[in-house]
Amino acid sequence: MQRYIYILGLAILLSATGCDKNFEKINTNPVLPATLDPAYLLAQAELNASWGSSTLTYQGAIVRHTMHPFLGVLAGGNVNQKNPAVERALWDQYYPLVRNLVDIIDKTADDSARQNLYHMARIWKAYIFQVLTDTYGDIPYSQAGQGFLESQYFPVYDPQQEIYKNLLKEVDEATGSLDAAKAVEKNDLFYNGDIGKWKRLGNALLLRIAMRLSKADAATARTYVQKAFQGGVMSSNADNCMMQHSATYTNAFGNQLNGSEKANYYLNAMFVDYLKSDNDPRLRAIAVLYGDATQDPAQTTQDKDPAHQVGMPTGYDNSTIPAAPGYPGSLYKYSQIDRLTLGSITAPCFHVTYAQTLLLLAEAAQRGWIAGNAAAWYQDAVTAHMQQLAVYGAAAAIAQGDIDAYRATHAYNPAGGIEQINTQYWIASLLNEVEAYANWRRTGYPVIPANAYPTQDIPQGQSIRRLRYPDTEISLNTAHYQEALSRQGADELNIRVWWDVQ
């Protein structure tokens, strides 16, 4: 028995010794990469930044681009109501992108061969953070994305004023440091590593960030507007920062508009009425009346005649809208976004565009911050956006003759220039709802009356000025959440962020 125990023990000892031999080789997957090229993380951060349907529910409804009369899971800007699951959507979508971008920056900061990737990540990280802070106000910034690198799982909330100061610094430095003579990053989904286009994107973003401060800190805004302009902003629609989708990597808006919610989202009356009254050729490219789904389930019947389009008014739900003025008799008789063009599952997502950039230049010139012709930039911006629509397909393209006719009958008027410019910005930002919403809060244009829908979630006569923080922040990051509220104010829909000055 003792001899058996001895032999068994020796066998166990030998087998253990044998396991140590070539241990690393045996336990290494020969086909699984041991490291990940950080360029793939940038591609993921670009792809996953495309807007989700939550921005239709809140921002799109608030700025009167879209309207949906249904409550429950779709309640939001349409009825001035709190909806935690939808309010947190951008937070949940964008903070994982921050983590990836922080990881890229950490891996490439001291790598002389990857300096362009390092600076591209800095620029895109600034874009992501501008969206987040514009949406919520004070947010985790300086310590965000540091969970893996620094074990920082409960980051502090930085004041929005400090965030903006750093965004300007980051984009200015990163854009100026991009070098076309260094390695090209071909995994970049926006520009295939074209450094000239990244420089123009960086300066266009710098212009956007600076203009956001036009009321909160005009001196800083002017300084950085001039830097962006001198550095060289976007020069054509070829510079547009957009994510092109496909049947494999689909557009989230398109999925929503062609899926279960296709009969729920409509174009807003304010938007449709403005384009109709202005004889704007973009209405034909954007709007469509579909057949009654109860009679035509596939809704193959389409009417794109601008004269027939009817936008859905704000302030009503599905039970009260029959009492709305001009009710056409059925929800199906309200106009929707064309699901074959702007609402397609393969439609691109635009983040920063040439048209938006020209309009910001026009405003800066109108304010006297840069030398230039505000009227020319304004007219060129209108042309650029009309031409941009062709990216959605031939059915959305606007004939050059129609563009020329619109320009000829819609002159720029300096006396009302700021309103005129920013009303066009509102049109040019359709489906880029976070930007349309931010620019409206900054400028007050177009003039949008408060939603009259009866609600207890904000005081009557006020509008939604920000979205609330996720419940997980309240329960898990409590101390820093409370510190943010002590500066910013209550975590409510009607509280203004720092740059949103009355």
Side-chain angles (χ1 to χ4, degrees), residues 168 171-172 201-211 224 227-228:
L168 290 166
V171 176
D172 186 28
L201 168 63
N203 284 316
L205 180 59
L206 186 65
L207 173 66
R208 175 184 288 188
I209 295 170
M211 288 298 289
Y224 280 94
K227 282 190 173 188

Side-chain angles (χ1 to χ4, degrees), residues 275 278-286 386 398 402-403 406:
L275 295 186
D278 209 38
N279 198 26
D280 194 314
R282 284 171 285 194
L283 185 59
R284 183 182 294 276
I286 295 167
M386 290 186 180
I398 299 176
D402 292 336
I403 297 174
Y406 183 88

Side-chain angles (χ1 to χ4, degrees), residues 138 157-159 466 469 478-491 495:
D138 292 5
Y157 282 56
D158 297 89
R466 61 178 287 274
Y469 299 117
T478 309
H480 294 140
Y481 164 82
Q482 292 293 347
E483 183 183 8
L485 300 193
S486 71
R487 291 189 304 263
Q488 182 169 272
D491 191 11
I495 298 300

Side-chain angles (χ1 to χ4, degrees), residues 113-300:
R114 308 302 292 275
Q115 285 302 285
N116 279 332
L117 179 59
Y118 170 66
H119 296 302
M120 289 155 63
R122 292 172 73 191
I123 291 169
W124 196 237
K125 175 171 165 276
Y127 173 84
I128 295 297
F129 268 119
Q130 186 182 24
V131 171
L132 286 168
T133 189
D134 286 352
T135 302
Y136 300 100
D138 292 5
I139 56 169
Y141 176 72
S142 58
Q143 296 180 351
Q146 297 289 340
F148 177 74
L149 297 174
E150 303 289 343
S151 298
Q152 184 54 260
Y153 303 115
F154 306 104
V156 298
Y157 282 56
D158 297 89
Q160 187 177 70
Q161 184 174 4
E162 295 302 313
I163 294 171
Y164 259 84
K165 184 185 300 183
N166 194 259
L167 293 180
L168 290 166
K169 172 181 173 292
E170 280 290 291
V171 176
D172 186 28
E173 289 181 359
T175 302
S177 299
L178 289 167
D179 188 348
K182 293 185 177 178
V184 175
E185 299 291 345
K186 291 291 189 179
N187 287 315
D188 160 35
L189 299 180
F190 292 151
Y191 301 122
N192 198 33
D194 187 318
I195 294 304
K197 290 186 176 183
W198 267 97
K199 277 183 170 289
R200 293 191 286 277
L201 168 63
N203 284 316
L205 180 59
L206 186 65
L207 173 66
R208 175 184 288 188
I209 295 170
M211 288 298 289
R212 201 77 91 227
L213 308 185
S214 59
K215 291 182 179 179
D217 187 350
T220 298
R222 179 173 182 162
T223 296
Y224 280 94
V225 164
Q226 291 171 351
K227 282 190 173 188
F229 179 53
Q230 292 164 3
V233 297
M234 292 177 169
S235 58
S236 74
N237 276 331
D239 290 334
N240 285 339
C241 178
M242 68 176 189
M243 184 65 238
Q244 182 62 65
H245 296 98
S246 67
T248 303
Y249 298 103
T250 55
N251 183 305
F253 279 153
N255 292 336
Q256 193 82 346
L257 297 177
N258 287 278
S260 60
E261 305 294 349
K262 69 179 181 180
N264 293 342
Y265 285 98
Y266 298 85
L267 284 167
N268 198 285
M270 179 176 169
F271 186 73
V272 171
D273 291 348
Y274 184 86
L275 295 186
K276 285 178 72 173
S277 66
D278 209 38
N279 198 26
D280 194 314
R282 284 171 285 194
L283 185 59
R284 183 182 294 276
I286 295 167
V288 62
L289 285 166
Y290 288 105
D292 188 332
T294 61
Q295 307 297 322
D296 177 16
Q299 292 192 312
T300 54

